[in-house]
């Protein structure tokens, strides 16, 4: 993703994160910074995707993280595997983008739970399937809304 597109989407993601915080239920299931990192990984350019994941993760850690580096690590893992997969499959197409965003949301939540269990942080009751599906749906919608902005800014060009 080009730097201009990355910075514009990062600013938009921070503003969106603040606005979504006004509705606690929606703030729970939305993750604009994950969407930003996933969109950066779709073309399969590993260096740019990992840079976007670090930037998005640091911002998310500053906003919500229980310990610093939690979301940066999660986003790096998710984006690394998406970038590898993008080398084999065109993830920039709409259906592929939807599947990548949905899979990244589930992977992110799973990694959060795994890290909490590994480091003996208390895990509250696990959210039900409806919450997981809601999170996938919200992040997919955010990604599909951001996708034309990335294209308009020529963010997927080298």
């Amino acid at each position: 993703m080009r730097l201009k597109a990355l910075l514009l989407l990062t600013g938009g993601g921070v503003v969106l994160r603040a606005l979504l915080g006004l509705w606690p239920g929606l703030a729970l299931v939305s993750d604009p910074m994950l969407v930003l990192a996933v969109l950066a990984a779709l073309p399969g350019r590993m260096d740019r995707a990992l840079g976007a994941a670090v930037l998005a993760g640091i911002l998310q850690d500053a906003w919500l993280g229980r310990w610093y580096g939690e979301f940066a690590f999660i986003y790096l893992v998710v984006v690394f595997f998406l970038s590898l997969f993008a080398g084999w499959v065109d993830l920039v197409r709409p259906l592929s983008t939807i599947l990548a965003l949905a899979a990244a949301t589930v992977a992110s939540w799973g990694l959060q739970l795994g890290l909490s269990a590994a480091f003996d942080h208390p895990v509250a009751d696990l959210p039900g399937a409806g919450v997981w599906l809601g999170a996938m749906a919200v992040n997919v919608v955010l990604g599909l809304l951001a996708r034309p902005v990335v294209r308009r800014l020529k963010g997927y060009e080298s």
Side-chain angles (χ1 to χ4, degrees):
M1 180 177 289
R2 285 186 156 173
L3 183 61
K4 179 181 175 181
L6 177 65
L7 293 177
L8 186 66
L9 286 176
T10 301
V14 169
V15 170
L16 187 60
R17 168 54 69 199
L19 290 174
L20 290 171
L22 297 174
W23 298 279
L26 196 54
L28 172 70
V29 296
S30 65
D31 194 348
M33 292 299 143
L34 175 66
V35 171
L36 166 70
V38 169
L39 289 176
L42 295 181
R45 294 181 183 95
M46 183 75 69
D47 56 343
R48 294 179 185 187
L50 293 176
V54 168
L55 175 64
I58 287 172
L59 289 171
Q60 187 76 349
D61 282 327
W63 198 284
L64 292 176
R66 290 173 290 187
W67 60 85
Y68 200 71
E70 173 188 15
F71 285 101
F73 174 75
I74 290 169
Y75 292 175
L76 280 170
V77 170
V78 169
V79 163
F80 175 77
F81 287 107
L82 273 178
S83 292
L84 281 180
F85 192 64
W88 299 314
V89 178
D90 181 13
L91 293 180
V92 179
R93 293 181 180 199
L95 181 59
S96 301
T97 300
I98 291 169
L99 294 174
L101 286 163
T105 301
V106 172
S108 173
W109 279 37
L111 286 167
Q112 287 177 45
L113 291 172
L115 286 173
S116 293
F119 292 106
D120 291 330
H121 282 271
V123 177
D125 292 333
L126 290 178
V131 176
W132 287 66
L133 290 173
M136 288 186 336
V138 168
N139 287 338
V140 165
V141 168
L142 290 176
L144 291 178
L145 290 174
R147 206 169 158 269
V149 174
V150 174
R151 287 192 173 284
R152 196 172 307 122
L153 294 171
K154 297 179 174 58
Y156 289 143
E157 291 181 8
S158 57

